[in-house]
Amino acid sequence: RCFHAMFERGTKNAPIEVTSFPIASKAITELMPRLIVEINASPLLKHRLFQLEYLSTLSGEMLVTFIYHRQLDEDWIAEATRLKEKFGILIIGRAKKLKILLDQDYVTETLSVDGKSLHYKQIEGGFTQPNGRMNEQMLSWARSCVEGSQGDLLELYCGNGNFSIALADKFRRVFATEISKTSVNAANDNKVLNNITNVDFARVSAEEFTAHMSGIRKRRRLKDLNLEETDFRTVLVDPPRSGLDVDSCQMISQYENIVYISCNPETLQENLIELSKTHDIKRFALFDQFPYTHHIECGVYLVRR
């Protein structure tokens, strides 16, 4: 029998069956028990099934990835197609060195931000903000921080263009960097989806960008973007939980305005100690992206003294 499970922290051999998961979106919580019933009724679907991954949008569009410890064949495709049509969902089958798309590997999220609809391609396995409604609030807050800003915007760790797309109309030009190829591809698709022409995305690290702009090491991916003609006065960073290293803090402290989005208050505090040497904190916000957990998303707006 297959069932959804979680494990107590620090243990591996005592799965706790999960029959409901109200932390997830309504679409996911409604689908989970119905999907498990169908899987257990099908020897083809449940045989050596290891994991299910759910990705939903605010509109209810759903992508489910089935991950197996065996290879998949035409019989599995036929059975998965039956399931796809019954529930009206998108399905991906994965096994070692194998990925089967029954349709596509993404959903399209539509967010309402300050009265405007923004569309985002969210790819299976790629990073996306986990809470759509809270993301709308966070994007609106970031837009209010940069209202009336002069010059251009530099964004580091841009992901699929979540902030770049939402802030594009506030600046003459936006340039954003990200090291994930999947995320950069999604970001470029999102630029087209939203008819935005003043944003450029590049697959380089923050360190590579800094070295290019300082002339230490020119990057081929950046040389044709006319970055020397930009007037970056505002920088937005949304780093991983590890926060920014010392060199990155020093680099962003060169800009007049900083919008710092953090998913880890502890590393944020460490970075703010450094950034406060040159900048004043003007605004601070909390966004509960992760209900029922101790995790919290923070937003900080700093202005150079």
Side-chain angles (χ1 to χ4, degrees), residues 167-226:
L167 272 60
D169 63 344
K170 298 293 185 182
F171 295 90
R172 182 182 70 93
R173 184 180 179 188
V174 177
F175 179 73
T177 72
E178 168 63 49
I179 60 173
S180 166
K181 183 177 181 180
T182 298
S183 293
V184 171
N185 289 339
N188 280 310
D189 288 340
N190 292 335
K191 183 171 69 170
V192 175
L193 276 175
N194 292 278
N195 298 313
I196 291 174
T197 58
N198 66 328
V199 178
D200 290 302
F201 297 101
R203 188 165 67 91
V204 295
S205 67
E207 295 77 14
E208 288 171 330
F209 171 81
T210 303
H212 177 88
M213 294 299 287
S214 63
I216 296 174
R217 186 181 180 187
K218 294 293 183 179
R219 305 297 301 186
R220 185 177 59 187
R221 292 173 181 166
L222 301 177
K223 71 175 185 176
D224 296 327
L225 295 174
N226 298 320

Side-chain angles (χ1 to χ4, degrees), residues 111 158 194:
L111 303 178
C158 71
N194 292 278

